Amino acid sequence: MSISPKTFLPAAAIATAAALACTASPALAAPAPSAPAPSAYAVRAFAPQPGESAPDDITRLGDSVYVAYQNGVGPMGEASPSGATASTIQQYSLDGKAGASWSVTGRIDGMGSDEAGRRLLVTTNEDGSSSFHTVSPALGARGVKDYTYTGLTHGGGTDSAKIFEGKIFISASNPSDSTGPALYRATLSGSTAALTPVFADDAQAELADGPQAGTTTTLALTDPDSSAVVPAQSPRFAKDFVLDSQGDQQLVFAGRAGTPQQRLEVLNLPAPVDDTAFATGARQTLWITDSDHNAVYSVSGNFLAGDVVTSVTPNSGANYLASLNLSNGSLTAIPQLAAIHPKGLLFTSSR
């Protein structure tokens, strides 16, 4: 997708503005439930450490939050204007104190957590020349392990990496056409990450919204990107795996993903979105990365179990936060947080 010019504000100004009512883009479709009152949100901003820039993906592992800073590296691992060829993973405590960091060659585009393995799952270079990595924080500086892909057949790179029912799922980004794999399963052995398709860009799926809801359609995905595991608390698609095809303005929900009983449903949206986060309990904290302002935010407020928040990436103008209605795909901007230009999202508890 093309990247449009954006407006930049100091991080301190954003934290102040986000705590007040402000003007945002109007809802793009049928109204979703109203956002909480302005006083319901408290925003904290965390600056990067020296040398870190362009925060992108975010995840939690144990009692720490981890943020991937791309540092200006290109989508195929090209050096930044300053010569940087590696991204940085920065550890934060749950109250936002910076901890250890790790350098990973290339541009980190996907990062998930493997709680059972006590490690981070990392992909680099979403457009091509892609590779896979794990980071085991307990091993300190020795914690980064690099893998080479086999079975990468869609002609592009890799993006989001998530654990679903004990399996590693990786999105197949920047495909050369719309007939290859949209989602892979990765099996790690030695220094190899062997990929096998989960479903294709042109798979059959049931329409989840609109006048033809319930009928079958053939997907034509061109932009597989972010992904998430839908929690049991979600009002719809509970326990599914969801893949965002950003440029196509679609979310593909896979029930029993990766099994012979797999069932796909596609939710059409009125605008492209990037990360989508699902609240699993009341009063959780929403962590947000904002590459425009080179900052990470934590937002506490009147979030409820089942709430769904997404990063809207319009074709013109700045990214903005919106509530996502899973019944009809409508997006409703959250005006109190309009000063933040979101990228990565993470709902988490304080402990």
Side-chain angles (χ1 to χ4, degrees), residues 127-341:
D127 282 359
S129 302
S130 190
S131 55
F132 186 80
H133 319 262
T134 59
V135 177
S136 300
L139 298 180
R142 299 179 293 108
V144 179
K145 183 174 181 179
D146 303 322
Y147 295 81
T148 300
Y149 287 126
T150 61
L152 194 153
T153 59
H154 71 286
T158 55
D159 200 305
S160 183
K162 295 289 188 293
I163 294 286
F164 180 72
E165 297 183 350
K167 302 180 285 287
I168 301 172
F169 283 178
I170 298 175
S171 57
S173 54
N174 193 36
S176 58
D177 60 35
S178 58
T179 63
L183 183 69
Y184 292 109
R185 177 184 176 182
T187 302
L188 306 183
S189 178
S191 59
T192 298
L195 302 178
T196 53
V198 176
F199 63 83
D201 291 322
D202 60 352
Q204 297 291 295
E206 182 179 301
L207 290 168
D209 60 337
Q212 301 300 315
T215 62
T216 299
T217 187
T218 300
L219 299 175
L221 306 181
T222 64
D223 193 21
D225 195 88
S226 301
S227 66
V229 178
V230 184
Q233 295 85 353
S234 178
R236 192 181 185 192
F237 309 113
K239 300 183 181 180
D240 282 4
F241 186 88
V242 58
L243 176 67
D244 168 38
S245 195
Q246 186 172 354
D248 304 309
Q249 300 179 199
Q250 293 180 318
L251 295 177
V252 181
F253 292 87
R256 307 190 72 176
T259 73
Q261 295 76 36
Q262 176 174 275
R263 176 172 178 264
L264 303 183
E265 295 180 82
V266 58
L267 187 71
N268 290 294
L269 308 177
V273 302
D274 197 347
D275 269 18
T276 298
F278 300 80
T280 59
R283 297 286 177 177
Q284 285 192 309
T285 298
L286 178 63
W287 285 65
I288 306 167
T289 64
D290 180 342
S291 59
D292 282 357
H293 302 105
N294 202 31
V296 178
Y297 304 96
S298 69
V299 180
S300 56
N302 192 27
F303 298 114
L304 302 175
D307 285 353
V308 187
V309 175
T310 192
S311 298
V312 183
T313 59
N315 293 321
S316 62
N319 294 1
Y320 62 92
L321 281 168
S323 298
L324 169 61
N325 186 322
L326 294 177
S327 296
N328 58 20
S330 63
L331 301 167
T332 301
I334 303 175
Q336 300 91 345
L337 301 175
I340 298 174
H341 299 174

Side-chain angles (χ1 to χ4, degrees), residues 99-137:
S101 63
W102 295 263
S103 179
V104 177
T105 300
R107 169 168 145 164
I108 296 177
D109 287 295
M111 184 171 65
S113 59
D114 176 7
E115 290 286 353
R118 299 182 182 180
R119 60 188 177 179
L120 303 173
L121 309 175
V122 179
T123 68
T124 49
N125 305 344
E126 64 181 334
D127 282 359
S129 302
S130 190
S131 55
F132 186 80
H133 319 262
T134 59
V135 177
S136 300

